[in-house]
Amino acid sequence: MTTSSLQSAPPVEPSGVVTLLTDLGIDDPSVAIIKGVVLKAFPEARLVDVSHSVPLRGIVQGAFWLARTYGWFPEGTVHLAVVEPAQRKLPRAVLVQAGDHYFLGPDNGLLSAAVEHATRSSRRPAEVREIDLGRFALGPKRAHRARSLFAPVAAELASGRFKFSEVGEPVDGIARSPLAEARKSAAGIEGEVVFVDHFGNLVTNVEAHLLDELTEPLICIEGREIKLRESYVDVDPGEYLALVNTFGTLEIARRDSDAASSLGVAQGAKVMVR
Amino acid sequence: MTTSSLQSAPPVEPSGVVTLLTDLGIDDPSVAIIKGVVLKAFPEARLVDVSHSVPLRGIVQGAFWLARTYGWFPEGTVHLAVVEPAQRKLPRAVLVQAGDHYFLGPDNGLLSAAVEHATRSSRRPAEVREIDLGRFALGPKRAHRARSLFAPVAAELASGRFKFSEVGEPVDGIARSPLAEARKSAAGIEGEVVFVDHFGNLVTNVEAHLLDELTEPLICIEGREIKLRESYVDVDPGEYLALVNTFGTLEIARRDSDAASSLGVAQGAKVMVR
Amino acid sequence: MTTSSLQSAPPVEPSGVVTLLTDLGIDDPSVAIIKGVVLKAFPEARLVDVSHSVPLRGIVQGAFWLARTYGWFPEGTVHLAVVEPAQRKLPRAVLVQAGDHYFLGPDNGLLSAAVEHATRSSRRPAEVREIDLGRFALGPKRAHRARSLFAPVAAELASGRFKFSEVGEPVDGIARSPLAEARKSAAGIEGEVVFVDHFGNLVTNVEAHLLDELTEPLICIEGREIKLRESYVDVDPGEYLALVNTFGTLEIARRDSDAASSLGVAQGAKVMVR
C-alpha cells in the first residue's frame, strides 16, 4: 500500500480515548503497566481494552479485530495495537492517521486492514510516520515496545501535546496485512475463515455489504451449501446457518453445536458465496 | 409485576457511570464495540464491567448478579444488561427507573430481580418505558441489540441529553425473572442454589437479612445439616460451612474442597434454613 | 521492617487513579462491587485493574506483581491490594505512603515488597497507618474487606477528602513479604522462581540491575547453564534462554516450548547467576 500519491489528511483533534489490542492476556499485570505508562503521562486518558486475547503471533486475527472495531470509537481515538512475534529485525514502529483515527503499532501488517478500511471509507489518504525512537522510547531495549515505546507515544498524541506530524518522519506506506480480503469473481464471492471463535463458529472475511447484491446468498464450505439467515432461531438445533456477526462479516455456525469441528475446518478455510 | 398503581418516581440526575453485564465474554472485541458506541456518543461516560461471563442463556444467573451488584453504584447509574437467547419473537427493549437507578435491557426477566429489589428498598414505584426503536436503533437488524440499540440509549441517558421519559412510551410492567425468591414458610426459609462458582461453592438466593431472626441457623441441603459461620477459618479443612457471601446471600462451601461435587448438587438445588 | 527511625515523608497530592490487585477473578461481579463502592464515594476515580488472577493464597505472587507494577503509575496513585487467606486472626488493615505512592491492604506481607522498593528508590522513609475501622468500615463483618473497608478508604484518599494522616494511628512497620529478595554472595547472585507464567516461563526475583556488573551472565538452574539474551530470536526453537521480562526481572524460557515442565521446576526453585 502506498500513500505517496494522495494528498494530506487534515489534522484530527484527539478524543482522549486510547484503545489497546495485544496478545498479552490479562492474568498478569503486563497490560496494567501499559495503562500506567499512559496515565502517568496523560492522567485524563480514557483507556478501553479491545482485546488482549490475540493468539501468539496472531497478526491475522489481530488485524481483523482492529479493522472491525476501530470505527465504533470516537473520531480522534488512538488505537494502540501490538502483536509482535520475536524477529531478528524488528519492524519499524509507526503511527498512521487514517479516516479520523490514529493507529499505533509495529509495521508488521497488524494495522493495515484497519488503515485500508479507514482510507476507503473516508476517501482520504492515510498518512504514515515512523516513530522517532530517540524522542519517545523509555529505554534502550528493543523488547516490550508496547510499554516502552507505543504507550508513551499514545499518551503524547491523545493528550494533544504532540501532533501527528511531530512523532517522526513521514514514510511512504505500511506493510500489508496477511489478512486476505474477500474478492468477487465470476463464480461469486471468494473469502476465507479468519478465526474460529470459542463456540466453534467460523468467522469469515466476507463483509456484509458484499452480500447486498445477492437475493438469496448460498454459502459454500467443504462441499456443503448453507443459507443466510437473520438469526439462530431461523433454523432447528443441529442445523447449519450463516449470518452477519457483530463484526459485520459473514459467520458460519451450527445451532447448539460446533461448526468448526463438525465441518472439520480451521482458520484459512475457503468460503464461496453464490 | 405491575407498576401502574404506583405514582411516578422523581427524575434522577445521571451519574455518568454505565455498567455492562453480558454473556459476550472478553476474548473478542464484542464488548469493546459496545464501549466504543457509548463513548462515541458520550465521551465522558465512565464504563464499568459487571461481568461478561454470564453463561449462554443464563438469565437466572445474570438477573441474580445484576440484583446483587447495582446498589453499590452511584445513584443515577445506567445499568446495561443484555443476555438475549435467540428467540423467534424478540422481547421488547425496555428502560426502567427504580430506586434511583436506571436499568436497560431486553424484557425477558433479566432486569426484574434488580428492579424488584430497588423498588422494595426505595419504597418508590418503578417506571418502565419501551424504547423507541425508530429513534435510537443504529441499524435495522434485530441482532446485536447490545451494540445497536441499548448502547446508544445508555449514552443518551447517561449524558443527560435524553430524559427517562423521552426514550419511549410508558408500559405497565416488565417480565418476571425466572430467578426464584427465597420464601419463609412454617418449616423455615426455602431457597435454592442460583449458581455454582468456579470453586464449587453453592451460591443461594437466601438473602442475609432473612437469617437475622434465627439465633442459630441450620442450613439443610441434600439431607445434610450445615452451620452458619462467619469465615472459613471457623471450620477445619474438609468440613462444610455456610456463610454470607459478597453478594449478601447465603453460600454453602466446603473448606479447601468443592461443595457442589461433594454434595452432588447443581443450580436449582433446594435449600432449607431452620 | 521498621520505619520509626526515619523522618516523615511529605504529603503527596492524589492522582485520582486507583489500581486494584485481588484474587477474586473477573467472572463474577465481586470486582465490580469494589469499583461501585469507590465510584459511589468518588465518581471521578480512574480505576485500573492490575490483576485479579492472583492465585488463592498467592501472597508471594501478588507481592511481586504489585512491587513490579506500581512504579509505572502516576505519583499519588492509590494501590488497593487485597489477597487475604482466611485466618483466625485477621491481619490489621494498613495504609502505607512510600515513594509518592499509597498502598492499601491487609498487613500480611502483600504490600511489603512494593513498599521496600518504593522506600529504597525514593530514599525516603515509608509511613504506615492502621486504618480506623470504626470510621471507614461499611459494615460490622470481618469478611469482604476489599469491598467493605479498603474500597471506601481508597475513595476518600484518592478524592483528597481524607489525608494520609487522617485514616488512623501511625504504626511502626508492616509485615515482611514471604517474597524472598535475590542476594549477592561470593558465588554470584542467588535468586528463585517467583511464579511460572501460563507459557511455562520461569519468572524470577532477580532484578535486572543486579546483572549490570556481569559481562556475560550465566544462569544456573537444575544443573543447566543458560545464557542471557536480548530476545527469543537469539536462540533456535527448543533452546533455553534467559532474558529480562516486562517486570524488569530475569526470566528463564525455552523457545516455542515450556521451560517449567522441561526442567521440572516450580515456584520456589533456586536460581544462581554467575
Side-chain angles (χ1 to χ4, degrees):
Chain A
M1 190 179 68
T2 166
T3 58
S4 57
S5 59
L6 303 167
Q7 66 177 110
S8 274
V12 177
E13 193 70 21
S15 69
V17 177
V18 177
T19 77
L20 305 174
L21 176 80
T22 76
D23 58 355
L24 295 169
I26 57 161
D27 281 343
D28 74 36
S30 303
V31 169
I33 288 173
I34 297 172
K35 293 177 179 175
V37 170
V38 174
L39 290 169
K40 197 166 192 169
F42 178 39
E44 289 75 31
R46 271 159 294 129
L47 295 154
V48 181
D49 298 307
V50 168
S51 172
H52 299 291
S53 302
V54 178
L56 275 175
R57 306 180 196 87
I59 291 177
V60 168
Q61 190 161 325
F64 178 80
W65 282 349
L66 183 63
R68 308 309 307 176
T69 303
Y70 85 90
W72 297 97
F73 282 85
E75 294 182 7
T77 293
V78 177
H79 302 277
L80 186 162
V82 184
V83 177
E84 192 151 45
Q87 278 181 275
R88 291 210 183 270
K89 186 175 177 327
L90 271 187
R92 60 187 177 188
V94 293
L95 170 65
V96 185
Q97 182 186 333
D100 296 337
H101 287 261
Y102 295 105
F103 301 94
L104 198 54
D107 187 18
N108 63 5
L110 184 64
L111 307 182
S112 81
V115 168
E116 285 175 24
H117 186 278
T119 303
R120 214 162 43 218
S121 55
S122 70
R123 298 178 188 206
R124 286 203 317 275
E127 282 196 77
V128 187
R129 299 270 165 167
E130 180 170 356
I131 295 168
D132 181 342
L133 303 185
R135 193 167 213 168
F136 294 102
L138 293 184
K141 295 280 178 192
R142 63 182 192 180
H144 315 307
R145 299 206 299 182
R147 174 198 83 187
S148 302
L149 179 61
F150 295 111
V153 176
E156 296 306 323
L157 194 68
S159 70
R161 281 194 299 265
F162 272 74
K163 299 205 181 319
F164 175 77
S165 59
E166 296 171 320
V167 306
E169 291 301 308
V171 289
D172 252 12
I174 58 171
R176 285 195 80 89
S177 171
L179 172 64
E181 281 194 46
R183 64 185 62 225
K184 287 191 190 179
S185 70
I189 305 161
E190 296 173 34
E192 64 179 58
V193 173
V194 180
F195 73 99
V196 178
D197 76 15
H198 69 288
F199 303 111
N201 301 320
L202 309 169
V203 177
T204 79
N205 63 349
V206 178
E207 294 186 26
H209 68 85
L210 294 175
L211 306 170
D212 288 347
E213 295 168 25
L214 304 168
T215 44
E216 236 183 284
L218 211 55
I219 292 87
C220 311
I221 183 167
E222 278 292 302
R224 192 177 285 267
E225 298 195 329
I226 298 167
K227 281 191 189 160
L228 182 68
R229 311 286 189 163
E230 202 183 334
S231 163
Y232 280 83
V233 300
D234 298 330
V235 301
D236 290 324
E239 258 191 81
Y240 289 93
L241 73 155
L243 34 68
V244 174
N245 59 29
T246 192
F247 307 116
T249 70
L250 192 71
E251 180 166 323
I252 297 161
R254 190 178 179 192
R255 187 171 175 189
D256 300 343
S257 184
D258 178 322
S261 59
S262 307
L263 291 169
V265 302
Q267 188 183 317
K270 297 299 170 202
V271 176
M272 169 70 78
V273 186
R274 285 190 291 115
Chain B
M1 191 180 67
T2 166
T3 58
S4 57
S5 60
L6 303 167
Q7 68 177 111
S8 274
V12 177
E13 193 70 21
S15 69
V17 176
V18 176
T19 77
L20 305 174
L21 177 81
T22 76
D23 58 355
L24 295 170
I26 57 161
D27 280 343
D28 74 37
S30 303
V31 169
I33 288 173
I34 297 172
K35 293 178 179 176
V37 170
V38 174
L39 290 169
K40 197 167 192 168
F42 178 39
E44 289 75 29
R46 271 159 293 130
L47 295 154
V48 181
D49 298 308
V50 168
S51 172
H52 299 291
S53 302
V54 178
L56 274 175
R57 305 181 196 87
I59 290 177
V60 167
Q61 189 160 325
F64 178 80
W65 281 350
L66 183 63
R68 308 310 304 176
T69 303
Y70 84 91
W72 297 98
F73 282 85
E75 293 181 7
T77 294
V78 177
H79 302 276
L80 186 162
V82 184
V83 177
E84 192 152 45
Q87 277 182 277
R88 292 210 183 269
K89 186 175 177 328
L90 271 187
R92 60 186 177 189
V94 292
L95 170 64
V96 185
Q97 182 185 334
D100 296 338
H101 287 260
Y102 296 105
F103 301 94
L104 199 54
D107 187 18
N108 63 4
L110 183 65
L111 306 181
S112 81
V115 168
E116 285 175 24
H117 186 279
T119 303
R120 215 161 43 218
S121 55
S122 70
R123 299 180 188 205
R124 286 204 318 275
E127 282 195 76
V128 187
R129 299 268 165 167
E130 180 169 357
I131 295 168
D132 181 343
L133 304 185
R135 192 167 215 169
F136 293 103
L138 293 184
K141 296 279 178 192
R142 64 182 190 178
H144 316 308
R145 299 205 299 181
R147 174 199 82 186
S148 301
L149 178 61
F150 295 112
V153 176
E156 295 306 324
L157 195 67
S159 70
R161 281 194 299 265
F162 272 74
K163 299 207 183 317
F164 174 77
S165 59
E166 296 171 320
V167 306
E169 291 300 308
V171 290
D172 252 11
I174 57 172
R176 283 196 82 87
S177 169
L179 172 63
E181 280 195 45
R183 64 187 62 223
K184 286 190 190 180
S185 71
I189 305 162
E190 296 173 33
E192 63 179 59
V193 174
V194 180
F195 72 99
V196 177
D197 76 14
H198 69 288
F199 304 111
N201 301 321
L202 309 169
V203 177
T204 79
N205 62 350
V206 178
E207 294 187 26
H209 70 85
L210 294 174
L211 305 171
D212 288 347
E213 297 167 24
L214 305 168
T215 45
E216 237 184 283
L218 211 56
I219 292 86
C220 311
I221 183 166
E222 278 293 304
R224 193 177 285 268
E225 299 195 327
I226 299 167
K227 281 191 188 158
L228 182 68
R229 310 287 188 162
E230 203 182 333
S231 162
Y232 279 84
V233 299
D234 298 331
V235 302
D236 291 322
E239 259 191 81
Y240 288 93
L241 73 156
L243 34 69
V244 174
N245 59 28
T246 194
F247 306 117
T249 70
L250 192 72
E251 180 165 323
I252 296 161
R254 191 177 179 193
R255 186 171 176 190
D256 300 346
S257 183
D258 179 322
S261 60
S262 306
L263 290 169
V265 302
Q267 188 183 316
K270 296 298 170 202
V271 177
M272 168 72 77
V273 187
R274 285 189 289 115
Chain C
M1 190 180 68
T2 166
T3 58
S4 58
S5 61
L6 303 166
Q7 65 175 110
S8 275
V12 177
E13 193 70 23
S15 69
V17 176
V18 177
T19 76
L20 305 174
L21 176 80
T22 76
D23 58 355
L24 295 169
I26 57 161
D27 281 343
D28 74 37
S30 303
V31 169
I33 288 174
I34 296 172
K35 293 178 178 174
V37 170
V38 174
L39 290 169
K40 197 167 191 168
F42 178 39
E44 288 75 30
R46 270 159 294 130
L47 295 153
V48 181
D49 299 307
V50 168
S51 171
H52 300 291
S53 302
V54 178
L56 274 175
R57 305 181 197 86
I59 291 176
V60 167
Q61 190 161 323
F64 178 80
W65 282 349
L66 183 63
R68 308 310 307 176
T69 304
Y70 85 91
W72 297 97
F73 282 86
E75 293 182 6
T77 293
V78 177
H79 303 276
L80 187 162
V82 184
V83 177
E84 191 151 46
Q87 277 182 276
R88 292 213 183 267
K89 187 175 175 329
L90 272 187
R92 60 187 177 189
V94 293
L95 170 65
V96 185
Q97 182 186 335
D100 297 338
H101 287 261
Y102 296 106
F103 301 93
L104 199 54
D107 187 17
N108 63 5
L110 183 65
L111 306 181
S112 81
V115 168
E116 285 175 25
H117 186 278
T119 304
R120 214 161 43 218
S121 55
S122 70
R123 299 180 188 205
R124 286 204 318 275
E127 282 196 77
V128 187
R129 299 268 165 166
E130 180 170 358
I131 295 168
D132 181 342
L133 304 185
R135 192 167 214 168
F136 293 103
L138 293 184
K141 295 280 179 191
R142 64 183 190 178
H144 316 308
R145 300 207 299 183
R147 173 199 83 187
S148 302
L149 179 61
F150 295 111
V153 176
E156 295 306 323
L157 195 68
S159 69
R161 281 195 299 266
F162 272 74
K163 298 207 182 316
F164 174 77
S165 59
E166 295 172 320
V167 305
E169 292 300 309
V171 291
D172 251 12
I174 57 173
R176 283 195 80 88
S177 170
L179 173 64
E181 280 194 46
R183 65 186 61 225
K184 287 189 189 179
S185 71
I189 305 161
E190 296 173 33
E192 63 180 58
V193 174
V194 181
F195 72 100
V196 177
D197 76 15
H198 69 288
F199 303 112
N201 300 322
L202 309 169
V203 176
T204 79
N205 62 350
V206 179
E207 294 186 26
H209 69 85
L210 294 173
L211 306 170
D212 288 348
E213 296 167 24
L214 304 168
T215 44
E216 238 184 281
L218 210 56
I219 292 86
C220 311
I221 183 167
E222 279 291 304
R224 193 177 284 268
E225 298 194 328
I226 299 166
K227 282 191 188 158
L228 181 68
R229 310 286 189 164
E230 204 183 332
S231 163
Y232 280 84
V233 299
D234 298 330
V235 301
D236 291 323
E239 257 192 82
Y240 289 93
L241 72 156
L243 35 68
V244 174
N245 59 29
T246 193
F247 306 117
T249 69
L250 192 71
E251 181 166 322
I252 297 161
R254 190 177 179 192
R255 186 170 176 190
D256 300 344
S257 182
D258 178 322
S261 59
S262 306
L263 291 169
V265 301
Q267 189 183 317
K270 297 299 169 203
V271 177
M272 169 71 79
V273 186
R274 285 188 291 114

